[in-house]
Amino acid sequence: MRLSSPFFHAPVLLLWGWCWLLPDAALAEPALFSPRDRIHPVFAPNGMVVSQEARASEIGLDILKKGGDAVDAAVAVGFALAVTLPQAGNLGGGGFMLTYNAQTRQTEAIDFRETAPAAAGRDLYLNEQGNVDEARIRFSHQAAGVPGTVAGLALAHERHGRLPWRQLVEPAAQLAERGFPVDAELARSLRETRERMASWPASMKSFFKADGSTYQPGETLAQPDLAASLKLIAEQGSKAFYEGEIAQKLVADMTAHQGLITLDDLKNYRALVRAPVRGNYRGYEIVSMPPPSSGGAHLIQILNILETWPLGELGHNSAATIHRMAEAMKLAYADRSEYLGDPDFTKVPVAGLISKAYAKELAASIDPNRAKPATAIKPGQPQRHESEQTTHYSVVDRDGNAVAVTYTLNFGYGSGIVAAGTGILLNNEMDDFAAKPGVPNAYGLIGGDANAVGPGKRPLSSMTPTLVFRNGQLLLVTGSPGGSRIITTVLQILLNVIDHGMNIAEATVAPRVHHQWLPDELRIEEGLSPDTVRLLEAWGHKVVVKDTMGDTQSIVRAPEGLYGFPDTRWAGGSAAGY
Ligand code: DON
């Protein structure tokens, strides 16, 4: 709770007398600690890495302690997660990085999203009946876009790194070679994915014992092929992946299985530097991912709409607040379906989408007491005003530089296919294209022309690595996995900190809600009160309780140091600081 909140009454202050000692500034800013908080974040005075896997966090921390900056640590964590969190950490996928240089005060977006191979045509994934061939777009070699991760990490290092590249890749190579003890979560998820991998000998060799059986918690998983790939990358840089021995092996595997990725596709792949999208919410500056992610544009669009109402007063997760959030989310996701795609191929009206005037118009269309059915919502006219397993990690170094990375194979373990001899799992990011107009992808998202399959094109993403500033000072670094739910998950971290005055731990564990226009349902996590749900239903929402959403990894920067919190929805995350 915010210390200045009306709920913070005099008797409480008397009870907690030491609160008076807090500096005035703490009263105006989001609370970092309050005696009323039920859960507290991890504190570190200098630098911090928060990721979904503890060994990777430690590797990043070690780089920070050795004088590496936030980007060096982020590169090392990116490679480490490819070993220790094979569900999402990757070399064979792609993603997005936001960097902040505290000295120059520059923020930069690095786009290392996968691209469609040159041979990928618009109707590639339609079968003879004209329907989307789901097995092909999700679980075959043709599901893979040209991977961007290695190029992205290399570009980030080239632009912002301090330590030698080799030093950043070697810890991951060693972990892959020596192996590490499998934890209960990895053992469970490998068991669940066994069927998907069973048809691919290289996948079985990488993740199962020689007799095909599963690793038990505590047993050591070594990945010698992956270790060899990482060593090549450590020694030769990204060229090893895009033009050298790894490229040869990836393409040989593609050729053997009707895959589309060629040596030229790999050679032509480029990670790109883009200008982040920027918005302003109640005086906080929001910096997030531009297209080809839908994340940043729609995060800011939804925030702009919600600025209309005093959410802090309406109350956290009250029916009144959730109703406004859901209505705003629907409008944004309807626009997403129409306008969002790769900006190098289609004109995306970002300026319109994030304009305050457009938000005002959309807010005016929201009835405070009635849910608008999805069928009554169409994509708006932003032009007139002219972003089951992904992972996010956040880093802040002692100089205040920051990095937010969200990267993915799309599904957990991507397509489940390891390219023979490389130890590298292939992504199934092609499913993020609108393979057929109006037909939902795995996350229920629909799209049309703007996100149609096309050679060299980047599939639309929802990944939303985000930085928040206050008076020019870095305040928050955050992001999440969760497919279509990423945008609304990040949204709720921001609302919980800014409007509801929560510390980052409380902001993370609070139950989440989500609406994406279609399907027309308000999805909630366990933990909302039954009478809140009843009110929402009375106002016309179809409320459904489903699995948890997102897995945020966040850092808040305060004058005295850093407060980090790994989401508790998945086991194994850690905030490592010094
Ligand atoms: O780029 C995207 O939006 C998706 N490929 C992300 C997938 C994802 O987050 C899965 N994790 N839960």
Side-chain angles (χ1 to χ4, degrees):
M1 278 291 156
R2 192 192 294 248
L3 294 186
S4 58
S5 114
F7 302 107
F8 208 84
H9 294 307
V12 182
L13 288 175
L14 285 177
L15 191 61
W16 297 97
W18 56 267
C19 280
W20 294 107
L21 301 175
L22 282 174
D24 280 355
L27 298 175
E29 298 295 330
L32 301 165
F33 275 126
S34 154
R36 294 185 57 190
D37 291 348
R38 290 158 304 170
I39 174 162
H40 286 99
V42 176
F43 177 77
N46 295 313
M48 187 179 271
V49 179
V50 188
S51 88
Q52 215 174 327
E53 202 283 321
R55 269 173 217 89
S57 291
E58 289 298 328
I59 284 174
L61 176 61
D62 190 50
I63 294 291
L64 290 182
K65 286 183 181 165
K66 286 181 172 142
D69 64 14
V71 169
D72 289 321
V75 170
V77 173
F79 283 113
L81 287 170
V83 180
T84 59
L85 190 75
Q87 300 94 316
N90 66 82
L91 303 183
F96 299 100
M97 178 187 288
L98 268 186
T99 62
Y100 171 62
N101 181 318
Q103 209 182 345
T104 62
R105 303 202 162 205
Q106 299 282 312
T107 47
E108 191 172 278
I110 296 185
D111 165 2
F112 56 99
R113 182 71 161 166
E114 299 89 331
T115 53
R122 196 180 182 96
D123 296 332
L124 174 66
Y125 299 102
L126 303 186
N127 61 19
E128 279 162 19
Q129 291 76 47
N131 297 324
V132 178
D133 183 341
E134 290 187 356
R136 197 144 53 81
I137 200 170
R138 295 179 191 168
F139 303 115
S140 80
H141 284 69
Q142 292 189 8
V146 183
T149 295
V150 178
L153 298 179
L155 182 62
H157 177 255
E158 189 185 303
R159 294 178 69 78
H160 305 289
R162 281 186 201 154
L163 297 183
W165 170 256
R166 179 193 290 263
Q167 192 179 341
L168 310 178
V169 189
E170 260 168 9
Q174 279 171 20
L175 254 184
E177 185 163 46
R178 290 188 200 142
F180 62 92
V182 167
D183 64 17
E185 172 57 27
L186 182 55
R188 182 200 61 77
S189 96
L190 282 171
R191 215 169 29 247
E192 278 179 9
T193 207
R194 193 176 184 287
E195 200 182 315
R196 182 146 43 107
M197 292 194 177
S199 4
W200 309 106
S203 305
M204 292 304 288
K205 182 178 161 216
S206 285
F207 296 111
F208 296 86
K209 296 185 194 171
D211 66 358
S213 62
T214 52
Y215 287 96
Q216 299 304 309
E219 292 183 334
T220 300
L221 172 66
Q223 300 167 76
D225 286 346
L226 183 60
S229 293
L230 283 162
K231 276 188 209 160
L232 287 169
I233 293 168
E235 283 155 21
Q236 300 168 14
S238 63
K239 243 187 161 164
F241 189 93
Y242 291 96
E243 295 180 50
E245 200 175 319
I246 302 172
Q248 305 281 348
K249 286 183 177 164
L250 286 171
V251 170
D253 205 58
M254 285 286 154
T255 312
H257 299 98
Q258 293 92 45
L260 300 175
I261 299 177
T262 63
L263 284 173
D264 274 345
D265 285 325
L266 286 166
K267 198 172 163 193
N268 293 335
Y269 183 84
R270 293 287 175 275
L272 302 171
V273 177
R274 297 187 187 274
V277 277
R278 290 167 190 283
N280 217 286
Y281 179 68
R282 301 194 206 277
Y284 292 80
E285 195 195 349
I286 317 297
V287 179
S288 192
M289 211 63 214
S293 180
S294 59
H298 293 307
L299 172 69
I300 292 168
Q301 181 187 14
I302 298 170
L303 286 169
N304 283 342
I305 299 170
L306 293 176
E307 211 173 28
T308 311
W309 303 284
L311 298 190
E313 276 170 37
L314 292 175
H316 174 254
N317 277 357
S318 66
T321 295
I322 294 175
H323 171 70
R324 285 162 177 80
M325 287 163 62
E327 295 302 290
M329 290 170 184
K330 286 186 222 174
L331 295 169
Y333 278 80
D335 281 352
R336 184 190 191 279
S337 74
E338 178 75 16
Y339 298 114
L340 270 283
D342 183 340
D344 297 337
F345 288 77
T346 185
K347 175 142 181 34
V348 184
V350 176
L353 287 166
I354 65 172
S355 85
K356 295 280 183 195
Y358 183 49
K360 214 169 163 183
E361 185 181 304
L362 294 179
S365 76
I366 292 175
D367 181 334
N369 297 310
R370 197 73 215 157
K372 192 177 276 183
T375 46
I377 295 175
K378 297 279 169 282
Q381 298 281 312
Q383 308 92 327
R384 285 195 287 116
H385 304 272
E386 212 51 36
S387 245
E388 182 120 349
Q389 252 316 46
T390 293
T391 194
H392 177 85
Y393 57 97
S394 297
V395 186
V396 177
D397 67 23
R398 64 180 312 152
D399 300 325
N401 302 311
V403 177
V405 179
T406 314
Y407 77 153
T408 188
L409 293 162
N410 194 22
F411 292 7
Y413 306 97
S415 61
I417 302 171
V418 168
T422 67
I424 296 172
L425 275 163
L426 298 171
N427 70 78
N428 58 350
E429 222 76 65
M430 298 297 279
D431 189 57
D432 278 353
F433 278 118
K436 184 176 176 180
V439 175
N441 76 349
Y443 302 102
L445 293 167
I446 61 166
D449 274 359
N451 190 32
V453 185
K457 209 170 160 184
R458 284 158 147 91
L460 181 60
S461 173
S462 300
M463 291 188 273
T464 314
T466 297
L467 304 172
V468 178
F469 296 82
R470 171 83 162 160
N471 301 327
Q473 299 292 318
L474 177 71
L475 175 74
L476 172 64
V477 187
T478 191
S480 180
S484 56
R485 281 94 52 188
I486 293 173
I487 305 170
T488 51
T489 295
V490 172
L491 171 79
Q492 286 165 90
I493 293 288
L494 269 55
L495 297 179
N496 290 349
V497 169
I498 295 172
D499 288 272
H500 304 299
M502 295 181 188
N503 76 40
I504 193 60
E506 298 237 326
T508 302
V509 299
R512 293 178 183 147
V513 305
H514 171 78
H515 204 306
Q516 62 180 55
W517 175 47
L518 295 170
D520 193 357
E521 62 183 31
L522 175 55
R523 175 171 172 173
I524 63 169
E525 292 182 337
E526 302 264 6
L528 290 189
S529 73
D531 43 12
T532 302
V533 173
R534 271 197 295 276
L535 273 174
L536 289 164
E537 286 169 345
W539 296 341
H541 292 280
K542 183 182 169 215
V543 182
V544 293
V545 180
K546 287 191 179 166
D547 293 350
T548 59
M549 296 181 269
D551 192 76
T552 57
Q553 310 291 331
S554 315
I555 301 175
V556 162
R557 186 159 188 261
E560 69 276 23
L562 306 167
Y563 294 91
F565 198 73
D567 209 324
T568 46
R569 285 166 178 79
W570 291 81
S574 96
Y578 78 114

